[in-house]
Amino acid sequence: MTPRISSKVKTDFQVFVKPVGDLCNMACHYCYYSSGGAVSDSARRMPDNILETYICQHIHAHPGPVVRFSWHGGEPTLLGIDFFKKAVGFQKKYQPAGVLIQNGIQTNGTLLDETWCRFFKKEGFSVGLSLDGPEHLHNRYRTTKSGKGTHSRVMLGQQLLQKNQIPYDILCVVHHHNVDHPLDVYRFFKKIGAVYIGFLPVVNSLMDSVDPEKYGTFLCSIFDEWKAYDIGRIKVQMFEEVSAKAMGQDHALCIFRKACGEIPVVEINGDVYPCDHFVRPAFKLGNLNTTPLGKLMNLKTMREFGKNKKTGLASQCKSCEVLAFCNGGCPKDRILHIPGSTMKLNHLCRGYKRFFNHCLPFVEQLQKLLLRQQQEDKPVRTGRNSPCLCGSGKKFKRCCMTQ
């Protein structure tokens, strides 16, 4: 039976789909997915009928010519390649003419082998690889269920991705230990040939979160090294956000947008929630079996969830000099009580302030370059070896990049 067709959503959106639920072959100490074994392992597999329903509805609800699927977990590779071959088959079944479908998968990398890589290469998958830096830092928290470090297994996966020329990015969780070693972490990623890096700070009200000021220093230290040596060679997600803002572009990273509600999560049984960090009964939007994805995305409750990010800003945020850069950060990180107020501050506030203020001279220089480009109708080239657009005749790295 053909699944019910979704109505179109007006704006671009992304979905985190968790076909294996929270099932994982690792036991990372900071993981917020663990359910404590409340669901049997045999039940943690998205049934074929829900998989087909989701794929059909996602394709027909998406407004643009490029539909992106983001496969998450737990550890999605536990499902095996045949599951994803089936998913790709459903995508091709419902793919309209003129629409491009892209797939990305987030993995801990420990199960990757040549067979997986051949599949990724053939079907054009991109890969997000979880890696927390060099061995002694990665193994502090990213362990097997028996407590053994996983670094060597992850590195084998990384090397296979690189060997097979599969596009991948590094997702590095910033925790109590690696936060004190920013350059060790960054230089390790450079050494292994990473070209796109994202940093995800641990913020969890149920455990000790990363120190915000240390996190700010962590980002500043890496930013200075990147600015001096790696502009145009390596993309760091946080620095891309800074550059985008300087160029007058919207934030790509959801935590820095003015509103939420564009990255819902689809759970193993077809339940839909507005965000991966708000998978709780009070926030459930509905189920794909009874209400198509497009309709769920257009619900008033979904729109209100998105707007609450802005309306829930504390007064301190509204007058902050870096508000345009962070927009209060992710609502799930707003855990700091404010005396005499029902609003809460983002745990990372001090770190964000430190980092974004540190970047302001760079932002201002990029804005000058953009203005000059507009006046002279020249493309903005900010690679470190490009001629500086200020007209000095020097290379960018020897001129305005250092200001």
Side-chain angles (χ1 to χ4, degrees):
M1 183 175 68
T2 302
R4 297 174 64 188
I5 301 300
S6 274
S7 56
K8 290 287 184 183
V9 178
K10 293 181 179 180
T11 58
D12 191 13
F13 67 91
Q14 180 184 358
V15 176
F16 279 7
V17 57
K18 294 161 62 179
V20 73
D22 62 5
L23 182 62
C24 189
N25 62 327
M26 288 173 55
C28 302
H29 298 202
Y30 47 62
C31 182
Y32 62 89
Y33 275 157
S34 177
S35 63
V39 181
S40 66
D41 288 356
S42 62
R44 297 182 194 174
R45 181 185 182 91
M46 180 174 281
D48 289 352
N49 65 314
I50 295 179
L51 176 65
E52 182 174 8
T53 294
Y54 159 64
I55 288 173
C56 175
Q57 292 183 5
H58 187 160
I59 290 173
H60 287 284
H62 201 275
V66 181
V67 183
R68 299 176 179 87
F69 287 84
S70 300
W71 304 96
H72 282 248
E75 177 48 46
T77 59
L78 285 170
L79 289 167
I81 291 176
D82 286 345
F83 177 90
F84 289 97
K85 286 182 178 179
K86 190 174 298 182
V88 170
F90 288 143
Q91 291 173 348
K92 292 176 179 178
K93 177 180 178 180
Y94 295 107
Q95 182 177 13
V99 170
L100 176 65
I101 291 178
Q102 297 178 341
N103 285 283
I105 186 170
Q106 183 66 40
T107 176
N108 60 40
T110 61
L111 301 178
L112 298 183
D113 56 20
E114 287 286 358
T115 306
W116 272 110
C117 288
R118 284 195 295 270
F119 171 74
F120 290 153
K121 187 73 172 180
K122 177 184 176 183
E123 301 299 344
F125 272 61
S126 60
V127 177
L129 184 68
S130 298
L131 179 61
D132 290 355
E135 185 173 15
H136 68 288
L137 297 174
H138 174 96
N139 284 346
R140 291 300 295 262
Y141 288 138
R142 298 192 65 81
T143 65
T144 64
K145 295 182 186 297
S146 62
K148 294 181 180 179
T150 59
H151 190 268
S152 60
R153 291 170 62 185
V154 179
M155 290 308 301
L156 287 175
Q158 183 266 343
Q159 290 159 16
L160 283 170
L161 293 172
Q162 212 159 44
K163 171 189 169 184
N164 287 276
Q165 298 181 320
I166 295 165
Y168 74 95
D169 58 85
I170 298 291
L171 178 61
C172 173
V173 175
V174 185
H175 51 69
H176 282 308
H177 298 286
N178 61 6
V179 74
D180 291 323
H181 305 277
L183 294 184
D184 288 345
V185 170
Y186 181 60
R187 288 170 182 170
F188 169 76
F189 291 147
K190 289 203 292 184
K191 181 179 179 181
I192 66 174
V195 295
Y196 194 96
I197 307 165
F199 294 112
L200 178 65
V202 173
V203 180
N204 192 331
S205 58
L206 300 179
M207 63 176 288
D208 290 335
S209 302
V210 68
D211 181 274
E213 294 191 3
K214 285 187 176 182
Y215 178 60
T217 300
F218 176 93
L219 292 176
C220 290
S221 299
I222 295 175
F223 178 82
D224 289 344
E225 172 113 346
W226 172 82
K227 190 179 75 163
Y229 303 108
D230 301 317
I231 290 179
R233 286 196 320 113
I234 295 176
K235 292 185 177 181
V236 179
Q237 191 176 44
M238 283 288 289
F239 308 161
E240 292 287 299
E241 293 298 312
V242 169
S243 299
K245 192 61 186 174
M247 306 291 274
Q249 301 169 358
D250 290 335
H251 285 295
L253 197 57
C254 67
I255 62 172
F256 295 142
R257 295 175 189 165
K258 291 182 179 180
C260 295
E262 295 176 351
I263 310 182
V265 59
V266 174
E267 288 290 322
I268 196 169
N269 62 350
D271 284 345
V272 181
Y273 297 83
C275 173
D276 197 26
H277 294 287
F278 290 86
V279 180
R280 300 194 290 273
F283 292 95
K284 180 179 172 181
L285 297 172
N287 187 282
L288 299 179
N289 286 317
T290 56
T291 309
L293 179 63
K295 187 173 182 179
L296 293 175
M297 291 290 295
N298 289 321
L299 286 176
K300 182 180 179 181
T301 50
M302 182 64 157
R303 295 195 301 271
E304 288 177 347
F305 175 85
K307 293 177 181 177
N308 285 343
K309 179 178 182 179
K310 184 175 181 179
T311 58
L313 279 175
S315 58
Q316 291 96 320
C317 292
K318 295 176 182 178
S319 59
C320 179
E321 70 275 15
V322 298
L323 175 62
F325 289 95
C326 75
N327 286 302
C330 182
K332 70 99 177 170
D333 295 339
R334 296 176 185 176
I335 59 176
L336 297 182
H337 292 276
I338 304 172
S341 174
T342 58
M343 303 296 188
K344 294 181 180 180
L345 278 179
N346 194 304
H347 170 79
L348 299 169
C349 179
R350 296 195 306 276
Y352 284 152
K353 277 189 176 182
R354 180 176 179 84
F355 170 65
F356 289 126
N357 276 308
H358 183 78
C359 294
L360 280 178
F362 177 79
V363 169
E364 292 168 354
Q365 194 57 47
L366 274 184
Q367 290 172 336
K368 290 179 183 178
L369 292 174
L370 176 62
L371 179 61
R372 185 174 182 87
Q373 177 265 334
Q374 292 172 337
Q375 293 172 340
E376 299 183 6
D377 195 26
K378 293 180 180 178
V380 176
R381 297 176 60 202
T382 55
R384 60 193 305 268
N385 290 310
S386 301
C388 191
L389 290 181
C390 73
S392 67
K394 300 179 182 179
K395 291 183 178 180
F396 180 54
K397 67 181 179 181
R398 301 296 184 192
C399 190
C400 292
M401 192 182 85
T402 63
Q403 298 180 22

